[in-house]
Structures are given as C-alpha cells and as structure tokens.
Amino acid sequence: MLKVSVCVPTFNHEAYIEQMLKGALMQETDFEYEIVIGDDASTDNSQQIIQKYAEQYPEIIRAYLHKENQGPATPREFAGRNNVLQLLKACKGEYVAMCEGDDYWTDPHKLQKQVDFLDSHPDFAICHHNMLVTYEDGSPSNTFNKASQPLVSTIDDILQDRWFMATASWMYRNYFLIDDFAPWHALAAAGDWALSIQLAAKGKIGYLPEVMGVYRKHSAGLSNVHSNVNIWFLINRKEMFENVNIWLDKKYDATIIKTVANYHEQLRKLEKIGSSI
C-alpha cells in the first residue's frame, strides 16, 4: 500500500503553486508518496504550471485539471467544496498530508517525521505541526501555534470550538479509503472542521512543535469569507455542532452545549449591531 498521499486542492494559485509543489517534491523519505492535486478550473495560469510538473514527475503527481469549476456555485462559503471532497476520495495512501495550493512546506523531512509519529502511535488519528503565518498586507509574521500548545489533544478540544491545527500541517490516517463522510459533512461550510471532527472521533491528535511550513493569509483566501462577522457562516457553524452532537450520540453533550451557546451569543450581538445601523 502507498504510504502517503499529499492532497492539494488549488484555485487561482498561479503565484503560489510552484513553491507548494517544490516543497512537496523535496521531501526526503524512506517510503513512496504521491501528490494528488486538483485544480478547480482556475482562470489564471495555475493549470499550465501544474501540467508542467505533472509531466516532469509522472510517477509522483496525479493531476486533476478541471475544465469546469466543480462547485457548488452558491453559497460562496462552500466554494471549492466538491473539488476537495473528490480529491480526498482519490487519495490512496495509508496516510494523507494536506496542503492547499497557496501554502508550502519548508522542512524536507516533514513527511518522514509525521509518518514516524503515526507509525509509532497507533492510537492517534492526526499529527500536526507548527507553521509560520505570513500576511499579504505586510503585517509581521507569527507562528500558528503558541508555545503552550499541548502535544496531545482530543476531539473534546475541537468541540470546544478551538482551532489549533493549520490545515497544511495535517497528516491523518486515511479512514476515508473505506468510510464515507458523515452525513452532516455535506451541510457544513467549514470543511476542514468537518474533516477534523470525523478524524478525531477515531483517535487522538499529536502535535510536533517544529515549524515545517508556511501558511499564507491573503485577500483571496477562503478564511476571509469564513469570518466571525459572517452571520450566515456562524449560523452554519452552530448547526454543524448541533448535528455533530447527534452524530456522536451526545457523548460530548456538555461541551457542545457550551459551544452552541457561544454561537447564540455571537449571533445575538451581531444582530443587535445590525439593527442599530
């Protein structure tokens, strides 16, 4: 069985995708890995760049260069969803390492370190590491995780609505080779949250404090749409946690009740501000 699939969803990342691919191709491992990249009908030169690398490294890169955007077209908070889900299912590795097309890795031993961790810790479902966060507007960079980040986390930490894993730092056990996504996943706009909850329901989360990549924050990033002032998105997140509570048979009911209550309070404040304008 192939050891690792590197999953790369991309859209209009012409300025970034080559650096991402170089970071993946420089990995030094004692196992074989593949790069599964899906471009969601970019309107820039992303596909030409990807095609060049796919032809140069045909034994490593599997490229899905869509001629039409996979959608859904609306709501905008779901942008890129179908491309990502198709890619996740296309990954054949025992483990999957995530890296969106505008992020990149800086440590040539990143994959090896995470595989070694998961191989030696069978009760862990996810391994993540620290990342450097850079900003398009020139703001000072910072690390994604603070020095206080625990080396071990659980699903309860995620259900407290704490986001402590940069998506480009993930490596997870590829349960989705066999399992389908949870039925509530398709309703959740925050696809990375939906994925992490399903994975964390299978095992613990390990953290490597080393900075092994760069997470770019820029105006075209989806995180600007998934914001804490987007009322539609906040309602969707609240509903996601409510659906998760049922899916988990209310095993974490006390935690999720507090999380949902926090969303009610955020929405109340935003609606109050909106009514006063």
Side-chain angles (χ1 to χ4, degrees), residues 171-182:
M171 180 179 286
Y172 66 82
R173 297 186 190 277
N174 194 5
Y175 301 108
F176 302 110
L177 269 176
I178 300 173
D179 296 348
D180 287 327
F181 301 111

Side-chain angles (χ1 to χ4, degrees), residues 25 30 35 60 71 94 110 131 154 190 199 221 236 247 256 271:
L25 289 165
D30 61 11
I35 299 171
I60 299 177
E94 178 183 355
K110 171 217 152 63
M131 298 276 286
T154 69
L199 292 167
N236 184 269
W247 180 68
I256 295 177
E271 288 165 359

Side-chain angles (χ1 to χ4, degrees), residues 177-231:
L177 269 176
I178 300 173
D179 296 348
D180 287 327
F181 301 111
W184 52 266
H185 187 144
L187 305 174
D192 46 4
W193 280 81
L195 190 63
S196 69
I197 290 169
Q198 292 168 80
L199 292 167
K202 301 274 193 179
K204 293 182 285 188
I205 303 166
Y207 172 62
L208 305 179
E210 301 166 69
V211 173
M212 293 193 275
V214 173
Y215 167 41
R216 286 190 174 98
K217 292 278 284 184
H218 55 88
S219 57
L222 197 57
S223 60
N224 292 289
V225 177
H226 294 177
S227 73
N228 59 5
V229 295
N230 182 333
I231 290 178

